[in-house]
Amino acid sequence: MSEAPDDPLALASRVGLPSDCLYLREAFPRERWTTDGLHPTARRWLHMHGGFRAHQAEMGAMIEAWRAGAVDASTLHRALIPALQQFLQHLDGHHRIESGHYFPALRQLEPRIAAGIELLDRDHDAIHAHIEAMVRTGRALHEAVAGRATDAGDRVERLAEVLDLAGPQLARHLYDEEDIVIPLIALRGDPLE
């Protein structure tokens, strides 16, 4: 499902959540999330998101090293492709658990936040399109390097462009998801327990 280009809540253009999705964060603001009393599921959720952010930064640093001429395409390939595979598997699995289990349970736990959960679920569709693009361009890079193709550098650049495009959208989604889910779990508990 593709997003409407003129939708202000589309992941590609959204700059934040609408106020009707933020009432839980107002009751449990981010400043309180670092306290020891945060629900274990909320802590795990933040830890998982921190892992995604760190993984993105690691892959970005690899690309920057290639762009700076510090590594060649073959060296980059050996480090980036396994990192990309791990990142994509982790992200896809995380989204499957959220969309298949947590989001329906959270909607039931707090019906008033259903529109926010629907938005996050819609984000997953947009992110999945980026995942597919990363798989395609990652595979093209792998085939180019494995086949010693002369266009391996071009394949790196195509993958870099896909990562550059996906990065800000994934960051927006993670931040917005935290603003909805962390306060909800912190205030109401884990709906799957």
Side-chain angles (χ1 to χ4, degrees):
M1 172 169 48
S2 70
E3 296 184 308
D6 58 346
D7 180 359
L9 295 179
L11 184 58
S13 57
R14 190 169 71 231
V15 295
L17 291 170
S19 60
D20 61 333
C21 293
L22 296 173
Y23 69 95
L24 291 167
R25 190 193 65 192
E26 291 168 6
F28 195 79
R30 282 184 176 262
E31 305 84 63
R32 293 181 52 201
W33 297 4
T34 58
T35 63
D36 292 336
L38 190 60
H39 191 283
T41 301
R43 274 199 312 272
R44 282 191 302 275
W45 210 295
L46 289 172
H47 178 73
M48 184 90 52
H49 283 193
F52 291 131
R53 289 177 177 111
H55 217 131
Q56 278 187 286
E58 177 188 353
M59 292 187 298
M62 291 177 196
I63 295 289
E64 288 310 310
W66 175 79
R67 284 178 170 154
V71 296
D72 63 12
S74 181
T75 302
L76 174 67
H77 168 265
R78 281 193 301 278
L80 182 60
I81 294 302
L84 179 64
Q85 288 173 325
Q86 181 183 20
F87 175 74
L88 294 177
Q89 288 171 349
H90 192 195
L91 183 61
D92 183 59
H94 181 68
H95 283 179
R96 287 178 190 273
I97 290 168
E98 288 176 342
S99 289
H101 301 285
Y102 268 99
F103 288 174
L106 291 169
R107 277 187 206 98
Q108 191 169 16
L109 181 66
E110 180 66 35
R112 186 174 160 204
I113 201 66
I117 297 295
E118 292 294 330
L119 182 64
L120 297 176
D121 220 2
R122 193 174 80 186
D123 287 355
H124 285 182
D125 294 335
I127 292 167
H128 190 76
H130 288 295
I131 289 172
E132 289 175 353
M134 286 183 248
V135 168
R136 276 192 313 275
T137 55
R139 185 177 297 125
L141 169 60
H142 175 70
E143 290 169 356
V145 170
R148 300 181 192 273
T150 57
D151 68 342
D154 291 337
R155 301 297 181 178
V156 172
E157 193 53 47
R158 295 300 76 76
L159 177 56
E161 289 169 359
V162 168
L163 291 170
D164 289 346
L165 179 63
Q169 292 182 38
L170 181 58
R172 172 83 270 154
H173 170 73
L174 294 175
Y175 192 87
D176 291 348
E177 185 174 279
E178 290 165 0
D179 276 348
I180 291 173
V181 171
I182 299 305
L184 178 52
I185 292 173
L187 295 168
R188 304 286 294 280
D190 184 333
L192 300 183
E193 288 182 340

